[in-house]
Amino acid sequence: MRVRIAPSPTGDPHVGTGYIGLFNQAFARHHGGQFVLRIEDTDQKRSTLQSEQMIYKSLAWLGLRWDEGPDVGGPFGPYRQSERGAIYAAATQTLLDNGTAYRCFCSAERLDAIRQDQRDRKETPRYDGFCRDLDREQSRLRAEAGQTHVVRLRMRTDGESIVADALRGDVAFDNKQIDDQVLLKSDGLPTYHLANVVDDHHMHITHVIRAEEWLNSTPKHLALYEAFGWEPPVFVHMPLLRNADKSKISKRKNPTSLEFYQRAGILPEAMLNFLGLMGYSRKDEAGNDLEKFSLQEFTDDLDLTRISLGGPVFDLRKLDWLNGLYLRTMTPEVLVERCLDFLREDERYQGVARLVQERLTSLGDFLHHAEPFFESNRPAGLAARHFLVGSGSRKKTAIKLNREQSQAFFEDCVTRLEGLLQWSHDAIDAALRQAVAQAGVQVGDGLMAVRVAIAGRPAAPPLFETVEVVGRALTLHRLRQVANWLADPQFLEAEIAAASQELAAAQLALHGAAPE
RNA sequence: GCCCCGUUAGUCUAGCGGUCAGGACACGGCCCUCUCAAGGCUGGGACAGGAGUUCAAUUCUCCUACGGGGCACCA
């Protein structure tokens, strides 16, 4: 048995990739098969090599080990789709020759127009078949003349397609509902649908274990297998990880980057364990649910038919509990090792040392100053008043932003930082200054708000360096967290009230009981 | 709008016709304790609604509601 995961190197390594990867690998190992990693980089605009590297790094951190992949090779490579152009070209030609695909010369404008029209008439937006019956010879000549075009799948318009999903049973789709999918884009690269089917076949994939979002496009894939005369694999559509509001997990509402969890000090074995609890459960001898288990144990008795299909909410509180459980059951020796490794293996370590250095009077001070860089959860706490931008300012001229405005400011910071191609001091500097200018507050006040959001305290190393060192994943998470706090007036109020109480108590302790 | 999937407590789940509906996170209380955690005990809290099938439905079927996903020259 052979399975694969096929992440797309666009952006941060996604926790969903880890989730699907876990089940794929465990399935392969359980059955003594192979687990393949394939990089789906057919989207030229969005794919980056950097992102690809991060995928390897994060999946390896999690503890997943693939038998074949771009980085480790294998007998059915190349494993990067951008390097398989000739294979897709040949496959496309086969379909063109046997009439199951056709060239389409329609412009993007025309397609937009008909889709809009269909939407207006409340119909399912789909290709209208304008080029479907072009003369084959004509079509060939136009293509040879260099006219830009795509290649589309000629979908049957009658009957229905049955997807035999391993978890759901037969799922029927009316063929009339299925679009003539583009297989080859005008840039000559294949779409997911084509590349996926061709590669899965050539890589001898027997079981496709992927996210539920693909279920609806499976009929297209089935049509492709048929067009090629190939045997389709077994399909297993896993439930989607969800935000607290049950929508598909997204970085707006949850940290989705595996890098974030690594940097936040989550143990990979706890993360894997937690993912193994999503839509799945194991039992102990007494028949109760087993909460803690190793990858090996998970793999040993994995049974995909036990997967439950309701979309599991990715609840960080339980992850934290599990992580603590792992931490508490280590021997002190191992714990020390893990902590030191956590710091040592983190490339931020050097950067933190550099920033903290000038503030030290003893080695023991290091921990205090380094805390903001590694801490995972940051309660709003004592410095919360800074989140209302300008409110913490001692300047009389300070422009204060109200709750909504402050929230908008933090969200703007997120958007600008998110868009940075280079996570460098200068780029961060520029982005944050723009955000401050946009908000119309004084530079010091705006940056102070960001500083407190990032470092949790007003006294910290210079902001841009700090942000650079803290890194993208954690920085964005902390800013989003503050934006979310600001979105909930009660929460922030309570936080500030608690903080002032804390402050009063501290002062009381310092100066003795106040006179009656 | 159309198509598809799903629905046990706030959350993760067990259950596959007859159960006091089990476990876990979170939450409350008590205990332990110099604090905080951890730990122990304990409490509240769920089968979305309605028809049907059956001696018997959380479990099977249908309808409704709700949630989600898809409908791209993104994956």
Side-chain angles (χ1 to χ4, degrees):
Chain A
M1 287 176 173
R2 292 173 55 83
V3 298
R4 52 42 168 202
I5 49 170
S8 186
T10 55
D12 293 339
H14 203 271
V15 65
T17 306
Y19 177 52
I20 302 296
L22 167 64
F23 280 81
N24 270 281
Q25 176 180 308
F27 182 79
R29 299 271 188 276
H30 182 85
H31 294 285
Q34 290 84 44
F35 172 45
V36 178
L37 172 62
R38 183 171 71 222
I39 294 292
E40 306 228 335
D41 56 351
T42 55
D43 185 346
Q44 283 182 309
K45 292 180 212 77
R46 298 197 301 147
S47 299
T48 66
L49 211 61
Q50 188 197 355
S51 174
E52 184 184 317
Q53 293 302 323
M54 283 306 301
I55 289 173
Y56 300 142
K57 209 182 125 206
S58 287
L59 293 180
W61 167 74
L62 255 189
L64 298 183
R65 300 287 117 92
W66 42 101
D67 303 297
E68 301 166 29
D71 56 335
V72 295
F76 305 106
Y79 293 91
R80 200 180 276 118
Q81 290 186 329
S82 58
E83 295 169 9
R84 298 172 65 82
I87 298 169
Y88 308 124
T92 306
Q93 194 54 53
T94 302
L95 298 184
L96 247 15
D97 289 344
N98 72 18
T100 51
Y102 61 92
R103 294 188 190 85
C104 169
F105 299 88
C106 293
S107 66
E109 294 72 42
R110 198 185 96 79
L111 295 176
D112 285 345
I114 59 171
R115 263 190 219 110
Q116 192 50 52
D117 201 46
Q118 286 163 334
R119 248 185 273 273
D120 291 345
R121 277 183 286 144
K122 298 178 192 268
E123 288 171 12
T124 303
R126 59 194 300 271
Y127 184 58
D128 67 351
F130 187 76
C131 296
R132 192 175 158 110
D133 298 312
L134 287 182
D135 180 73
R136 296 264 282 265
E137 188 57 16
Q138 283 272 312
S139 159
R140 194 179 60 80
L141 289 174
R142 284 171 75 176
E144 273 174 14
Q147 203 173 339
T148 60
H149 64 277
V150 301
V151 175
R152 285 180 186 276
L153 172 65
R154 187 190 305 277
M155 203 52 216
R156 308 180 51 140
T157 53
D158 61 325
E160 51 183 24
S161 299
I162 308 293
V163 174
D165 184 89
L167 304 178
R168 282 159 257 260
D170 288 352
V171 182
F173 294 86
D174 193 337
N175 286 336
K176 277 196 280 295
Q177 291 291 330
I178 303 164
D179 207 356
D180 278 2
Q181 183 59 234
V182 171
L183 302 176
L184 205 67
K185 299 182 270 190
S186 56
D187 64 4
L189 290 175
T191 58
Y192 168 84
H193 306 282
L194 206 224
N196 170 263
V197 165
V198 169
D199 289 346
D200 282 346
H201 176 258
H202 288 310
M203 295 179 184
H204 300 95
I205 300 303
T206 58
H207 297 252
V208 170
I209 305 167
R210 72 210 321 182
E212 184 178 6
E213 55 190 332
W214 297 110
L215 184 57
N216 285 285
S217 47
T218 309
K220 292 170 185 171
H221 304 161
L222 251 17
L224 280 170
Y225 281 102
E226 194 188 333
F228 284 118
W230 296 336
E231 190 69 24
V234 175
F235 290 101
V236 183
H237 289 98
M238 300 281 297
L240 249 23
L241 262 21
R242 310 293 185 90
N243 297 312
D245 65 2
K246 297 272 189 179
S247 57
K248 176 165 87 168
I249 195 166
S250 66
K251 60 184 179 183
R252 275 277 153 221
K253 298 171 183 172
N254 252 312
T256 55
S257 165
L258 287 171
E259 190 195 0
F260 164 82
Y261 294 97
Q262 179 178 10
R263 295 201 153 181
I266 297 294
L267 298 161
E269 59 267 44
M271 188 66 181
L272 226 36
N273 190 154
F274 182 62
L275 290 173
L277 251 17
M278 298 281 93
Y280 196 72
S281 68
R282 302 178 64 246
K283 286 190 230 175
D284 62 18
E285 313 75 45
N288 290 327
D289 288 357
L290 215 44
E291 306 294 335
K292 185 170 182 253
F293 46 81
S294 68
L295 175 58
Q296 188 61 52
E297 290 167 325
F298 178 78
T299 301
D300 285 346
D301 60 18
L302 178 73
D303 174 8
L304 290 184
T305 65
R306 285 183 52 80
I307 292 168
S308 58
L309 297 175
V313 171
F314 198 80
D315 184 358
L316 274 348
R317 283 176 305 196
K318 188 149 181 176
L319 207 212
D320 282 341
W321 167 77
L322 244 189
N323 202 48
L325 193 59
Y326 275 87
L327 254 10
R328 288 191 295 275
T329 48
M330 285 174 183
T331 64
E333 293 76 24
V334 170
L335 178 60
V336 167
E337 279 310 308
R338 296 294 296 264
C339 288
L340 291 178
D341 285 348
F342 169 65
L343 296 173
R344 226 182 336 245
E345 285 170 7
D346 194 314
E347 73 280 9
R348 293 175 297 173
Y349 192 64
Q350 297 291 328
V352 171
R354 182 170 50 75
L355 287 180
V356 159
Q357 195 167 19
E358 27 193 326
R359 292 168 175 76
L360 296 182
T361 50
S362 81
L363 287 174
D365 293 344
F366 182 81
L367 252 28
H368 169 72
H369 290 288
E371 183 186 39
F373 295 92
F374 297 105
E375 203 180 33
S376 58
N377 292 314
R378 162 127 33 260
L382 280 174
R385 65 199 174 112
H386 286 286
F387 296 153
L388 296 170
V389 181
S391 297
S393 181
R394 273 170 296 186
K395 294 194 194 96
K396 289 209 176 75
T397 53
I399 298 160
K400 292 180 182 149
L401 300 187
N402 65 24
R403 191 174 53 75
E404 283 87 356
Q405 291 165 329
S406 297
Q407 189 196 343
F409 168 70
F410 281 107
E411 279 168 0
D412 187 39
C413 289
V414 169
T415 308
R416 288 176 193 277
L417 290 176
E418 208 170 30
L420 293 184
L421 295 172
Q422 288 288 324
W423 192 256
S424 67
H425 174 280
D426 291 350
I428 293 161
D429 183 324
L432 289 179
R433 281 183 197 278
Q434 281 163 20
V436 170
Q438 171 77 35
V441 293
Q442 289 181 328
V443 177
D445 293 333
L447 295 186
M448 179 55 82
V450 176
R451 181 194 321 285
V452 172
I454 303 297
R457 44 174 99 152
L463 182 60
F464 307 131
E465 281 92 333
T466 301
V467 168
E468 185 181 16
V469 170
V470 165
R472 194 177 216 123
L474 256 189
T475 296
L476 293 178
H477 172 67
R478 288 176 181 174
L479 291 173
R480 285 199 186 99
Q481 190 175 41
V482 169
N484 289 343
W485 283 339
L486 288 165
D488 175 2
Q490 264 133 39
F491 181 90
L492 194 72
E493 243 171 67
E495 205 63 39
I496 291 175
S500 27
Q501 256 179 26
E502 213 178 305
L503 195 66
Q507 277 167 351
L508 201 67
L510 204 61
H511 305 298
E516 288 300 312

